[in-house]
Amino acid sequence: MADAGSGGQRGEGPVSDWTRIAVSYCQYDVSTVPGETGMPIYTVGDSLLHLGGPYQFTGFCGTHTGRIEARVRVLPGPPAEVKGGWDAISEATIWSPRGLLSLVGLMGGPPNALTDVAVPRGLIRVRVHARDRLHETVRTDDDPPERHELHIWAVTEESRRRTVLAGPGGRVWEQKPSTAAEWALLSLVPRPSGRAAMLPPPYEPDDDDDDADLDRVTVVRHRPTPVEIPAVVLPAGDLAIRLDRVDDETLRWTWTTADEPVFPDPLVTLPDDEPSTVRLTSGPAGFTLRHEGVRGRDAFALGVIWDHLLDSPGSYPWIETLRRQAAEATAPTETYRRRP
């Protein structure tokens, strides 16, 4: 994981005070775009955080319904070491188009101290620390309050979610990489008006948070065992992704229209007009994939897609959903054509 260059860093911001937030169902929400929805929880995550999309993740508490204490610390770069005194630590990368982050309990509104906290614009790494995660049925007056602390710093690479310290007795969640990959691909493909919506329209920045001035980023994935990326065309409904071989370690990723579109009114708008570069190298620690030159808002989805493609080559779980949507869109057209 790389930290941002000096041009994108800032000094450590003030540490917010410990603030009480009301939680329910053992959850709270961390978001850089409030209200933006994504993947359901229980798809990608561990016992402390579950990723929901480019802008959001869900944090997990021991308290089912009640109050916990939380605070945010913005750092100039990655921490040199993992501090002790915590029961569980996990981290993930999210996209911050506005340079603001909010922590919201699922009961009531967000506390002012944890609303629109100033963070770096662009990709940020968030490390969540938790301790004293006790359910209220076993908590006593002598127990300290449950506390969650978020450490945040700027990065230029989207790297995989990581469990730094597994909590005691934490539940091991089943990962669903194919479900996540389906969501990710469909979130990137624009949806014409009239098409059945599996997903809400993708978030588009407004004048206040336009990210066109932000540098493109790199998606990084590691595997300990050999992996291969063939030069292929990945199907994506009316669109396709071309992976063209450049040399032994390098391919070019290009969005294009499909030779045989599936919808009656074929989609022609591409998710990204600029080609990007995919590099696969080997070293003592295994194999590293670097997908360079991607838009920051697309980095999460592309990382999820690569997680699936590297482990299940040749499997495209989004195809059936796109075919079903195409069939539903085609049926009314055929009915109209057959009318006398």
Side-chain angles (χ1 to χ4, degrees), residues 41-125:
I41 57 174
Y42 316 127
T43 302
V44 176
D46 58 18
S47 64
L48 185 54
L49 68 84
H50 279 209
L51 282 160
Y55 317 99
Q56 179 270 343
F57 66 82
T58 299
F60 284 85
C61 320
T63 301
H64 181 278
T65 304
R67 294 185 181 273
I68 67 169
E69 294 185 356
R71 71 179 181 183
V72 173
R73 183 188 299 267
V74 179
L75 306 177
E81 60 183 17
V82 176
K83 294 184 177 181
W86 299 99
D87 302 330
I89 305 174
S90 298
E91 63 183 39
T93 304
I94 58 176
W95 178 242
S96 168
R98 302 171 178 173
L100 299 173
L101 176 143
S102 297
L103 192 157
V104 183
L106 299 189
M107 293 179 62
N112 290 336
L114 298 175
T115 301
D116 290 344
V117 177
V119 299
R121 286 185 69 212
L123 282 183
I124 56 174
R125 191 73 171 175

Side-chain angles (χ1 to χ4, degrees), residues 16-23 27-28 30 48 59-63 66-72 86 103-105 111 113-114 128-134 139 143-150:
S16 66
D17 294 331
W18 287 110
T19 301
R20 299 184 74 193
I21 62 172
V23 301
Q27 298 169 33
Y28 60 87
V30 175
L48 185 54
F60 284 85
C61 320
T63 301
R67 294 185 181 273
I68 67 169
E69 294 185 356
R71 71 179 181 183
V72 173
W86 299 99
L103 192 157
V104 183
L114 298 175
V128 181
H129 306 69
R131 62 179 173 230
D132 301 308
R133 291 194 297 171
L134 299 175
R139 178 177 294 280
D143 290 314
E146 178 175 351
R147 282 183 163 178
H148 290 237
E149 183 174 276
L150 277 59

Side-chain angles (χ1 to χ4, degrees), residues 173-307:
W173 297 98
E174 176 191 0
Q175 305 301 292
K176 302 173 183 176
S178 63
T179 300
E182 177 188 10
W183 178 91
L185 190 285
L186 294 176
S187 75
L188 291 176
V189 174
R191 178 169 52 83
S193 60
R195 178 183 299 187
M198 176 182 177
L199 302 170
Y203 165 75
E204 291 292 344
D206 55 28
D207 292 339
D208 294 330
D209 57 9
D210 185 7
D211 55 9
D213 61 316
L214 295 174
D215 291 339
R216 291 192 170 229
V217 302
T218 301
V219 174
V220 180
R221 290 297 185 267
H222 300 285
R223 291 296 186 273
T225 56
V227 294
E228 182 180 357
I229 307 175
V232 295
V233 176
L234 307 180
D238 289 341
L239 304 181
I241 301 162
R242 294 188 59 89
L243 280 170
D244 297 311
R245 179 70 59 187
V246 176
D247 56 40
D248 290 344
E249 295 182 345
T250 311
L251 298 99
R252 181 176 293 105
W253 170 294
T254 307
W255 285 97
T256 184
T257 54
D259 292 338
E260 298 181 2
V262 298
F263 283 86
D265 183 15
L267 176 68
V268 294
T269 303
L270 303 179
D272 191 352
D273 294 327
E274 295 187 24
S276 49
T277 300
V278 178
R279 305 184 195 276
L280 183 64
T281 58
S282 62
F287 291 75
T288 299
L289 176 138
R290 297 179 60 83
H291 190 168
E292 304 168 352
V294 305
R295 298 190 308 180
R297 74 176 84 164
D298 298 340
F300 171 82
L302 291 172
V304 169
I305 291 170
W306 279 118
D307 279 332

